[in-house]
Amino acid sequence: MTQGPLTTEAGAPVADNQNSETAGVGGPVLVQDQLLLEKLAHFNRERIPERVVHARGAGAYGTFTVTRDVSQWTRAKFLSEVGKETETFLRFSTVAGNLGAADAVRDPRGWALKFYTEEGNYDLVGNNTPVFFIKDAIKFPDFIHTQKRDPYTGSQEADNVWDFWGLSPESTHQVTWLFGDRGIPASYRHMNGYGSHTFQWNNEAGEVFWVKYHFKTDQGIKNLTQDEANRLAGEDPDSHQRDLREAIERGDFPSWTVQVQIMPAADAANYRFNPFDLTKVWPHEDYPPIEIGKLELNRNPENIFAEVEQSIFSPAHFVPGIGPSPDKMLQGRLFAYGDAHRYRVGINADHLPVNRPHATEARTHSRDGFLYDGRHKGAKNYEPNSFGGPHQTDRPLWVGSAVTGATGDHAAPSHAEDSDFVQAGTLYRLMSEGEKGRLVENLAGFIAKVSRDDIAERAIDNFRQADGDFGKRLEAAVQALRG
Ligand code: NDP
């Protein structure tokens, strides 16, 4: 903070910041007290619309370092050399809670990572889970309505949650994940991150590869049981945010080992699972993870509102050598994120310090709008022009895909081993006996709260189809609670 007298927003010195101006001693307050009016008006406007999802979060800056040559798969410059470092900003979040909600809850954690590369910002907007509840963005508003507050009761309702999940069997894999031990991480430092979607990498020769990103925590996986989380959520609602800030303050910088799974483009059509289905992983035995880098978080934001609340991420922020896949959830998100931040932060959100490219500059012909800072001065605002200025490169960031057939409301293609249940069953069977027990107990405690038997039965049946033992144990546990 600079020294000198307190001022108004317009810079005039303030004589008295304790007493508003009145007509005589004990008289009414005067409209001419501009300091009072300005303070109250500014205060009323301190909040911007909170994110509809992922409202509650914490963030930190860091460094991504390349540890393996990946130029055979992508021409992205920030990945071009072993040892190359790129500044990053990572925002963690929960999904369903409002801005003031507790951190220690059972919910996926958002993993929104911005790389400030020399070719523009690359955003990887994933989660701490490799999969998601649905596979088509057209279901997203419905899904989130079931997770948030019911329009009548004003609370999250078990009926809505289980009705939707029961009727959306593709959610079974992610729900199994969420109610397992990893559904409540002990902190943001003790969990993995995933790009979740499949993305395109393309190399200098124009060859295409499909890629999935994994960020494996170097702190080790640590989770909270439901009872531990219930207690912590009450005692320290800001537990995850505090843990992250304090670790960085004491120089205990959290890090993640970055891995990718790479699928040559030619494999995709006949792979046993649809490789663009967000409810599925690529089993490691099919495409073994390859270590390519290290991510370290090492600097706290100085102002949470400016740098975390106003930070924006978009899966559509690609750089040369990286692009989208036909994953229908990803395709929807390519629109939805930019749209959300244009509404929430405004059309010039990209130019705030946390959001603008750090290692290069944005050169566009977009102008004006709320809070435009005039950075382009008198430069021409159209292209082509005869006065110099930025121009197109004629080289797309990614390589186009071949498509055939008629437009229509098509479900994504089904591959040989696709089913909504197969990978949920695999996940159940890799859990320890102890985790299986906690998974069943966590699920049963929630399913038992629904008001109708048919909703409970449909929910249980999805897990029964994933694994017979899973279904049997869950049915018994729900019955024991519902009587
Ligand atoms: P692998 O045995 O090769 O890998 C198992 C994966 O499961 C590891 O990534 C491991 O993460 C993770 N895992 C272990 N315990 C849990 C748990 N309780 N909750 C969530 N994840 C856990 O098997 P596959 O690749 O064949 O995958 C089998 C199942 O593992 C999948 O159906 C999926 O549910 C889950 N999984 C798979 C991932 C993938 O990309 N293939 C990624 C994450 C989960 P870690 O190494 O950190 O212990």
Side-chain angles (χ1 to χ4, degrees):
M1 184 60 110
T2 52
Q3 298 301 308
L6 182 69
T7 73
T8 63
E9 299 291 338
V14 168
D16 189 335
N17 196 35
Q18 323 304 320
N19 303 291
S20 45
E21 189 178 348
T22 52
V25 177
V29 173
L30 297 179
V31 167
Q32 71 178 22
D33 187 342
Q34 280 303 303
L35 177 65
L36 171 70
L37 302 191
E38 189 176 81
K39 282 178 73 175
L40 295 180
H42 198 282
F43 180 72
N44 280 344
R45 290 163 179 75
E46 281 184 359
R47 298 289 168 267
I48 57 176
E50 71 173 39
R51 293 165 167 90
V52 181
V53 283
H54 296 275
R56 167 75 189 147
Y61 297 92
T63 310
F64 170 76
T65 308
V66 178
T67 57
R68 182 196 163 117
D69 183 354
V70 295
S71 54
Q72 62 180 303
W73 301 304
T74 178
R75 62 189 169 95
K77 284 220 177 92
F78 79 104
L79 297 172
S80 64
E81 252 177 79
V82 172
K84 191 160 189 176
E85 294 187 351
T86 299
E87 190 192 0
T88 60
F89 182 70
L90 174 53
R91 181 178 183 271
F92 301 101
S93 52
T94 51
V95 179
N98 293 98
L99 199 50
D103 289 336
V105 293
R106 187 174 300 283
D107 205 6
R109 301 296 187 278
W111 175 278
L113 177 59
K114 189 181 294 297
F115 297 85
Y116 299 97
T117 93
E118 68 265 53
E119 295 179 296
N121 289 349
Y122 173 46
D123 291 353
L124 193 58
V125 197
N127 279 322
N128 71 329
T129 66
V131 291
F132 197 61
F133 300 90
I134 50 174
K135 54 172 96 176
D136 192 316
I138 204 162
K139 294 182 76 165
F140 189 76
D142 301 273
F143 164 58
I144 292 300
H145 285 168
T146 71
Q147 300 293 304
K148 306 277 292 193
R149 297 173 187 279
D150 178 86
Y152 175 64
T153 66
S155 302
Q156 191 194 57
E157 292 299 329
D159 271 4
N160 305 351
V161 171
W162 287 109
D163 195 19
F164 184 86
W165 283 344
L167 291 165
S168 304
E170 70 271 31
S171 66
T172 309
H173 189 190
Q174 169 80 324
V175 177
T176 303
W177 208 102
L178 182 61
F179 284 80
D181 284 354
R182 297 191 188 191
I184 319 181
S187 82
Y188 290 135
R189 295 182 299 127
H190 294 95
M191 61 182 210
N192 295 339
Y194 300 91
S196 304
H197 299 285
T198 298
F199 296 95
Q200 185 198 93
W201 274 6
N202 59 85
N203 64 16
E204 276 301 342
E207 292 167 313
V208 167
F209 302 87
W210 300 115
V211 60
K212 280 187 180 289
Y213 298 88
H214 306 257
F215 297 77
K216 305 297 278 280
T217 173
D218 293 332
Q219 291 65 243
I221 298 270
K222 253 199 227 165
N223 306 305
L224 300 172
T225 63
Q226 189 67 59
D227 286 345
E228 287 167 340
N230 292 348
R231 202 169 44 246
L232 185 59
E235 286 171 358
D236 183 7
D238 300 335
S239 56
H240 285 28
Q241 176 175 271
R242 183 192 317 285
D243 173 86
L244 179 66
R245 178 177 51 76
E246 289 180 352
I248 293 173
E249 277 173 357
R250 66 175 181 265
D252 180 10
F253 300 143
S255 65
W256 286 262
T257 300
V258 186
Q259 303 172 335
V260 290
Q261 289 176 285
I262 303 272
M263 177 187 290
D267 289 11
N270 296 314
Y271 182 48
R272 59 187 176 127
F273 301 112
N274 179 344
F276 310 119
D277 174 350
L278 186 56
T279 67
K280 303 272 189 331
V281 295
W282 300 350
H284 293 166
E285 64 176 357
D286 295 351
Y287 295 97
I290 301 165
E291 189 174 322
I292 64 154
K294 191 64 102 180
L295 174 70
E296 178 191 84
L297 297 182
N298 46 34
R299 183 161 64 90
N300 281 316
E302 292 182 346
N303 183 290
I304 291 193
F305 181 82
E307 294 159 81
V308 181
E309 184 66 2
Q310 293 196 119
S311 63
I312 60 163
F313 301 86
S314 171
H317 290 168
F318 292 113
V319 290
I322 307 182
S325 75
D327 174 339
K328 292 183 84 181
M329 269 304 292
L330 173 62
Q331 294 277 324
R333 296 178 77 212
L334 297 178
F335 160 73
Y337 280 67
D339 188 55
H341 66 63
R342 283 188 284 270
Y343 161 68
R344 196 176 63 81
V345 192
I347 196 63
N348 283 306
D350 294 291
H351 303 294
L352 293 171
V354 68
N355 297 328
R356 66 180 171 232
H358 290 185
T360 182
E361 58 174 338
R363 290 179 292 273
T364 77
H365 294 95
S366 300
R367 293 291 190 275
D368 306 349
F370 282 110
L371 301 181
Y372 174 63
D373 64 6
R375 78 194 74 88
H376 302 94
K377 301 197 167 67
K380 297 296 181 197
N381 56 0
Y382 60 88
E383 201 271 330
N385 72 51
S386 314
F387 297 88
H391 50 81
Q392 68 189 45
T393 65
D394 291 328
R395 187 169 187 193
L397 306 191
W398 60 85
V399 176
S401 303
V403 293
T404 55
T407 59
D409 296 331
H410 302 298
S414 192
H415 288 222
E417 293 180 38
D418 275 338
S419 95
D420 290 328
F421 310 106
V422 57
Q423 293 194 354
T426 312
L427 177 59
Y428 176 76
R429 288 184 291 276
L430 73 74
M431 290 180 180
S432 67
E433 192 46 40
E435 183 171 7
K436 283 180 182 163
R438 290 185 291 278
L439 167 70
V440 166
E441 190 187 337
N442 294 331
L443 284 169
F446 196 10
I447 295 175
K449 291 184 179 156
V450 304
S451 66
R452 286 172 34 172
D453 288 343
D454 62 323
I455 294 178
E457 174 45 34
R458 235 182 347 255
I460 294 165
D461 192 51
N462 285 343
F463 301 105
R464 191 183 289 125
Q465 295 197 56
D467 183 280
D469 172 68
F470 188 6
K472 212 159 72 196
R473 288 166 72 166
L474 184 58
E475 185 175 5
V478 172
Q479 266 171 11
L481 290 168
R482 281 169 76 80

